[in-house]
Amino acid sequence: MARGTVRHLTNESSVTQHDDAPNEYDFTRIQEKWQARWDELRPFATDNPADTRPRKYVLDMFPYPSGDLHMGHAEAYALGDVVARYWRLQGFNVLHPIGWDSFGLPAENAAIKRGVDPRAWTYDNIEQQRQSMKRYGASFDWDRVLHTSDPEYYKWNQWLFLKLYEKGLAYRKASWVNWCTHDQTVLANEQVVDGRCERCDNVVVKKKLTQWYFKITDYADRLLDDLNQLEGSWPSKVIAMQRNWIGRSVGADVDFVIEGRAERVTVFTTRPDTLFGATFMVVAPDSDLAAELVADADDETKKNFAAYLEQVQKSTEIERQDATREKTGVPLGRVAINPVNGERIPVWAADYVLADYGHGAVMAVPAHDQRDLEFAIKFDLPVRVVVDTNAPVTGAIPVITPEMLEAGDLLPPDPVQTGEALAGEGRLMNSGPLDGLSKSNAIKRVIELLEEAGTGRAAKTYRLRDWLISRQRYWGTPIPILHTEDGREIPVEESALPVELPPSEGLDLQPKGASPLGAAEDWVNVTLPDGTAARRDPDTMDTFVDSSWYFLRFLNPNDDTQAFDPKEAEKWAPVDQYVGGVTHAILHLLYARFITKVLFDLGYVSFTEPFSALLNQGMVLMNGSAMSKSRGNIVRLSEQLDEHGVDAVRLTMAFAGPPEDDIDWADVSPAGSAKFLARAWRITGEVTSSPEVEWKGGDAALRRQTHRLLADAPGLVEGFKFNVVVARLMELVNAIRKTIDSGPGAGDPAVREAIEIVTKLLSLFAPYTADDMWERLGYEGSVATTTLRKADPTLLVEESVTAIVQVDGKVRDRFEVAPTIDTGALEILARGSDAVARAVGDREIVNVIVRAPKLVNIATKR
RNA sequence: GCUCCCGUAGCCCAAUCGGCAGAGGCAGCCGACUUAAAAUCGGCCGAGUCUGGGUUCGAGUCCCAGCGGGAGCACCA
């Protein structure tokens, strides 16, 4: 078959109106024709200040320029475009921009591999993607393109960094960080997946380094609590993942005195009620606290600790996160004193306690915590039950029943025997003043006691850690800080921004654990105004900084006086509809939310959440699994576009199923989509009525169907049921076909009305075909810039409906009735039915439910 | 292990408030066109909704339990 053409037999009568126009659906011709028109018309530019239409900001997650666009991009941009085009048809002024997230490791790694400049490699890829994107026909405003690797963009990245620095939200600290052994750079917690580097899948180890952090933990409560306002507009899955990630725990801080040490050690616990059951303390071996506690110990203890620490640090994240492995640890030879009962308990170091969570130390209550129990059993430490989990609790009050007393079996099983810690509700015991209280009451009471004694307080802690933003790589935004020899940090003046990346020429980009920029002597060495020498910070920023505010830069991408114009933000932001993959459910979205809240606090924006609504599209699979080279199941987008046309591929993406579901390309039919487009397109060549024709008088059944679609379309599109909209369009095209072939014919006004509505709605999915159809229908310009009519309510009323009559839930008869029939009339009709009488037989009718005009159900005594 | 989501025709998927299980597509079959085939056009066939209970006049839809699939979290004190 000839590429680019869906052949069909020419019907002589269909040529009458457009003798000169081609009468074959040739998508290549249509694409080329309309691409040129769009370049000329700029139908999607959003730059007219006099535009008074209401506004919508529809944003697709911008792509990373690694190679050409693939099927995943195709799906995302097809779906985002449906939403953008829909709001335009509804009369909105829609901002729908596109850009490139063009800094980052893959570009640099690829550049190293090929021995080329990362800059050249990146911009070559952008150009390729830009052309593919244009061909793909998404309704972007091409005058607002940005690239995060442009100095004009990253200048404002640096500005943002300095704003955070001024607020104390950007700081440097030495700590154990995730180190990717392959990429030779640090990773944020969020970038470590199952102990491996999210990007290259290599093993991650811990390394102690001084790094830059953003203090996202200051915003933990707001990031968590504000998720409530996104409920219903964001996928619940994403909200759950974010909640989980922030991981707020509520409990208490408890101060323990350490014998022979002036300072107390504070531990965080979610179970302060079990404080009387604490039989030892555990600190993280890699914490400063452990090192300090062991410093005064005897040589044997020190030696054991040193050996243990070395072993811990050697282990990879994968080993460390294996929850099934045996507990390990060493005693530190120190004694802690329980503040509530004065009990002396030993202090151990063990790697099941994490240095950077809570205070890096825990009170171990082995009877009621599984981890502590395993440790106690392994090292033969005492276990004391302080909550009787066999005592039921009604409300907050423990209840002991006479039966229980009689059974003499009040105590729960011994955790040491069963190996199971007693985690449940119960009644406090062995706990002095807490005895007899329920768990929740005991928590309240013990916090009061601790606060009175000054040895503890209610506390919250989070799983979320501060955001590590420095990277020891070349292709990123330089951190705008100077370091003097005496260790001072000097922020670069705002007027001196951007701190431009030096050329990569002459730099060794091979990863070696330190930033390549440190070797750019001309760049890194600077002299301060007072004559002292300083060095630029050689690290670059995590690219998630770039993408945490790009949606604001789109508002005025060429403004060189500010990052974004707050007045424009007032007009357009926050983003009304954000569209992208669920892969960014945590990282990108959390960071963007954080930065938005910071900008709110700084007074730059008036909203606290960046994305009012979120749509996650699924992945495109092939034969049940993700496409990959190793599986050899890659479907090339460019080949699909060559074979079936842009519109057919886009339509297939929308029609395949709910947007959030994965699409298996083996299950769908782009050829079927092309067939449908050709059918619809062909009809526009058969219509013989003129654009000015009066609708009324047209075929009533077809008109009703058209208006039902008009009435349903908004709800369907806004509910992201794109697949249903496409199905309804197919249905309507089938109906038009019938009306032409075996009904009133191609000249009927209802045919024109129907195909015009099809054309408008089809433009959401198949913009090239729709614009060509629009022209064939006798109009000029792009159908995408028209608006959609409202349904005529008089046409939505059915002339008659089918009422069904059930007997005991089974359908026994049906009638054609007026939609306005009342309950009594319908019941009389139903009771008069022979079929119903036969079904009822001689049984007694006990109930008749009437739901006029659609249903009667007669229940009989059985 | 914990949490969440999903199981409807051979396949992908629809089904407003609980009210006739089917909108659409793919595949299949039949017919038209063709010397023939492909393509195209027209038509047809096709589940009783994963299983077992429950609520209800009535359950794909609500509740409980199980099975199957997917996702997230997982030594976070």
Side-chain angles (χ1 to χ4, degrees):
Chain A
M1 155 182 151
R3 285 241 161 131
T5 302
V6 176
R7 290 173 186 277
H8 69 101
L9 295 171
T10 304
N11 176 341
E12 284 302 318
S13 66
S14 71
V15 199
T16 48
Q17 204 181 9
H18 301 278
D19 307 306
D20 51 336
N23 208 39
E24 270 187 358
Y25 178 71
D26 177 346
F27 60 75
T28 307
R29 181 186 62 79
I30 293 172
Q31 282 169 210
E32 282 168 2
K33 171 175 160 188
W34 286 97
Q35 189 58 69
R37 294 267 181 95
W38 293 342
D39 281 345
E40 195 184 307
L41 293 171
R42 296 171 65 239
F44 311 116
T46 341
D47 54 2
N48 179 7
D51 198 325
T52 56
R53 291 175 295 170
R55 299 182 186 87
K56 286 275 181 192
Y57 187 176
V58 177
L59 182 62
D60 297 298
M61 289 182 185
F62 62 168
Y64 187 88
S66 55
D68 202 354
L69 297 182
H70 52 67
M71 297 297 282
H73 292 118
E75 186 190 3
Y77 297 118
L79 301 184
D81 210 35
V82 172
V83 177
R85 288 176 180 272
Y86 167 75
W87 288 115
R88 275 192 209 95
L89 281 190
Q90 293 289 36
F92 284 77
N93 183 12
V94 175
L95 175 61
H96 189 214
I98 188 70
W100 275 269
D101 188 16
S102 48
F103 263 144
L105 271 186
E108 191 169 353
N109 288 342
I112 291 164
K113 208 164 145 192
R114 292 165 178 76
V116 296
D117 178 25
R119 187 175 278 104
W121 186 89
T122 299
Y123 284 87
D124 283 353
N125 278 339
I126 289 175
E127 181 51 25
Q128 187 186 17
Q129 287 198 355
R130 194 186 65 84
Q131 286 176 17
S132 298
M133 203 87 95
K134 281 214 130 177
R135 179 193 189 194
Y136 202 58
S139 62
F140 294 124
D141 179 348
W142 287 100
D143 299 325
R144 289 173 186 259
V145 172
L146 63 79
H147 315 118
T148 60
S149 55
D150 290 349
E152 294 75 20
Y153 185 88
Y154 69 73
K155 168 181 179 175
W156 302 109
N157 243 4
Q158 293 170 336
W159 170 85
L160 180 68
F161 178 97
L162 293 175
K163 287 290 158 198
L164 269 79
Y165 186 79
E166 282 167 26
K167 290 280 282 181
L169 292 169
Y171 68 100
R172 234 157 53 120
K173 74 170 175 191
S175 96
W176 295 97
V177 298
N178 302 304
W179 181 262
C180 174
T181 49
H182 175 265
D183 288 339
Q184 293 281 300
T185 187
V186 298
L187 301 170
N189 269 327
E190 290 83 343
Q191 289 164 325
V192 181
V193 177
D194 292 332
R196 292 176 178 276
C197 172
E198 168 194 63
R199 245 186 257 285
C200 68
D201 212 33
N202 275 277
V203 169
V204 169
V205 297
K206 287 285 183 181
K207 201 167 169 175
K208 193 155 196 173
L209 287 173
T210 298
Q211 299 283 315
W212 285 100
Y213 291 83
F214 281 170
K215 212 165 182 185
I216 191 171
T217 51
D218 271 11
Y219 286 73
D221 277 327
R222 287 162 69 186
L223 287 167
L224 187 65
D225 296 338
D226 287 356
L227 287 170
N228 293 337
Q229 56 183 304
L230 302 175
E231 207 87 55
S233 316
W234 277 35
S236 49
K237 184 168 121 178
V238 174
I239 293 178
M241 284 165 74
Q242 294 236 341
R243 287 210 174 104
N244 222 327
W245 189 262
I246 295 165
R248 180 162 64 197
S249 294
V250 178
D253 278 346
V254 184
D255 305 329
F256 283 73
V257 168
I258 306 290
E259 282 185 0
R261 186 179 190 262
E263 278 174 78
R264 292 165 172 179
V265 168
T266 302
V267 302
F268 174 77
T269 176
T270 55
R271 292 294 305 273
D273 55 312
T274 63
L275 184 50
F276 284 84
T279 53
F280 56 100
M281 176 185 278
V282 186
V283 301
D286 50 349
S287 62
D288 293 342
L289 179 62
E292 194 196 317
L293 289 177
V294 84
D296 296 334
D298 58 66
D299 288 348
E300 176 75 8
T301 305
K302 274 191 206 164
K303 215 178 81 190
N304 289 342
F305 174 76
Y308 181 61
L309 182 60
E310 197 193 332
Q311 177 203 321
V312 167
Q313 285 170 0
K314 260 198 336 225
S315 66
T316 63
E317 280 294 290
I318 300 168
E319 289 159 2
R320 207 192 58 72
Q321 288 180 5
D322 177 8
T324 62
R325 93 200 151 104
E326 284 237 340
K327 292 281 178 290
T328 57
V330 291
L332 293 178
R334 302 295 290 261
V335 169
I337 302 196
N338 190 328
V340 289
N341 59 9
E343 196 168 359
R344 301 176 74 246
I345 60 175
V347 180
W348 287 64
D351 69 352
Y352 78 90
V353 172
L354 309 177
D356 57 356
Y357 185 78
H359 305 286
V362 302
M363 64 179 217
V365 185
H368 303 288
D369 182 283
Q370 190 60 33
R371 297 153 299 179
D372 295 342
L373 179 65
E374 286 164 19
F375 194 81
I377 291 173
K378 172 100 182 266
F379 294 103
D380 202 21
L381 293 158
V383 176
R384 184 190 308 141
V385 174
V386 292
V387 181
D388 178 359
T389 51
N390 265 9
V393 173
T394 307
I397 304 180
V399 177
I400 302 168
T401 64
E403 292 76 23
M404 293 169 60
L405 282 171
E406 196 157 326
D409 183 25
L410 277 182
L411 288 183
D414 179 1
V416 179
Q417 297 301 315
T418 62
E420 298 290 328
L422 303 166
E425 278 288 341
R427 187 181 55 125
L428 272 285
M429 55 187 278
N430 292 334
S431 294
L434 305 181
D435 279 354
L437 295 178
S438 69
K439 172 178 159 182
S440 58
N441 283 346
I443 290 174
K444 278 184 214 134
R445 183 71 192 123
V446 76
I447 289 172
E448 285 169 13
L449 293 172
L450 288 167
E451 281 176 349
E452 282 164 23
T455 51
R457 61 217 67 85
K460 284 181 293 190
T461 190
Y462 305 86
R463 213 186 79 106
L464 180 71
R465 310 297 154 84
D466 275 343
W467 174 13
L468 199 176
I469 62 135
S470 36
R471 297 290 181 274
Q472 288 70 50
R473 298 297 294 260
Y474 169 77
W475 191 233
T477 304
I479 290 174
I481 295 286
L482 307 174
H483 300 279
T484 61
E485 275 183 29
D486 55 2
R488 282 178 299 140
E489 288 169 1
I490 300 180
V492 173
E493 293 285 331
E494 201 177 313
S495 60
L497 298 182
V499 177
E500 280 206 48
L501 264 184
S504 69
E505 205 186 348
L507 293 179
D508 177 12
L509 300 184
Q510 287 294 338
K512 53 196 177 299
S515 172
L517 290 177
E521 293 298 332
D522 292 347
W523 180 85
V524 81
N525 291 307
V526 291
T527 307
L528 299 177
D530 66 2
T532 53
R535 287 176 67 83
R536 292 190 187 280
D537 196 294
D539 287 354
T540 51
M541 293 183 211
D542 181 4
T543 56
F544 279 114
V545 177
D546 314 2
S547 54
S548 65
W549 67 281
Y550 77 113
F551 65 100
L552 291 166
R553 185 66 186 168
F554 276 130
L555 304 178
N556 46 337
N558 301 314
D559 189 339
D560 59 3
T561 65
Q562 55 191 339
F564 61 92
D565 184 343
K567 284 200 283 296
E568 291 291 306
E570 202 56 42
K571 273 162 64 179
W572 290 104
V575 173
D576 294 291
Q577 182 65 58
Y578 200 29
V579 180
V582 73
T583 43
H584 293 111
I586 299 173
L587 297 162
H588 162 58
L589 292 173
L590 191 69
Y591 295 148
R593 295 181 60 227
F594 162 59
I595 293 298
T596 299
K597 288 174 199 305
V598 172
L599 290 171
F600 172 84
D601 289 351
L602 291 168
Y604 288 101
V605 298
S606 62
F607 50 90
T608 56
E609 285 292 335
F611 311 121
S612 302
L614 175 67
L615 172 63
N616 282 138
Q617 86 279 358
M619 292 192 304
V620 184
L621 313 176
M622 187 59 188
N623 292 319
S625 45
M627 296 180 195
S628 72
K629 273 184 200 148
S630 58
R631 285 199 186 85
N633 64 345
I634 291 182
V635 177
R636 290 178 57 88
L637 174 61
S638 58
E639 287 170 10
Q640 294 295 310
L641 297 178
D642 290 346
E643 193 176 341
H644 305 290
V646 169
D647 284 348
V649 169
R650 294 179 52 151
L651 188 72
T652 302
M653 295 291 184
F655 184 53
E660 59 274 15
D661 286 6
D662 290 344
I663 299 172
D664 193 326
W665 203 247
D667 289 337
V668 296
S669 173
S673 299
K675 199 165 81 177
F676 165 69
L677 290 173
R679 271 162 67 79
W681 182 89
R682 219 172 291 129
I683 287 171
T684 57
E686 299 177 41
V687 173
T688 53
S689 58
S690 77
E692 290 78 29
V693 73
E694 278 272 346
W695 304 131
K696 55 181 181 234
D699 182 72
L702 184 58
R703 291 206 70 199
R704 257 202 303 279
Q705 195 175 338
T706 302
H707 282 259
R708 266 204 308 274
L709 178 54
L710 270 178
D712 293 347
L716 291 170
V717 176
E718 288 170 43
F720 306 133
K721 291 168 178 282
F722 308 143
N723 53 329
V724 181
V725 178
V726 176
R728 295 284 296 273
L729 284 170
M730 291 173 168
E731 200 181 357
L732 187 52
V733 166
N734 290 345
I736 299 170
R737 184 80 262 156
K738 280 207 182 80
T739 308
I740 293 175
D741 291 349
S742 47
D748 191 282
V751 166
R752 169 168 279 276
E753 184 182 32
I755 194 66
E756 285 193 5
I757 298 306
V758 166
T759 303
K760 289 189 177 201
L761 285 172
L762 195 59
S763 76
L764 308 183
F765 312 99
Y768 289 108
T769 305
D771 269 357
D772 212 53
M773 288 168 69
W774 196 237
E775 186 185 62
R776 281 157 63 86
L777 285 167
Y779 297 100
E780 283 182 9
S782 172
V783 69
T785 58
T786 67
T787 55
L788 201 58
R789 273 187 300 146
K790 295 260 181 297
D792 178 347
T794 62
L795 286 168
L796 298 176
V797 181
E798 296 288 345
E799 281 172 344
S800 73
V801 296
T802 306
I804 58 157
V805 185
Q806 301 175 328
V807 176
D808 294 325
K810 287 202 176 63
V811 180
R812 297 300 184 186
D813 204 356
R814 56 192 69 206
F815 304 98
E816 287 300 309
V817 298
T820 52
I821 191 167
D822 67 45
T823 299
L826 188 57
E827 181 172 347
I828 291 165
L829 209 54
R831 283 180 183 269
S833 158
D834 292 343
V836 168
R838 272 197 305 278
V840 171
D842 53 5
R843 281 169 297 166
E844 183 191 342
I845 293 174
V846 292
N847 197 4
V848 179
I849 288 96
V850 185
R851 294 281 178 273
K854 293 183 75 175
L855 173 131
V856 179
N857 190 11
I858 297 170
T860 66
K861 194 166 192 175
R862 275 170 288 181

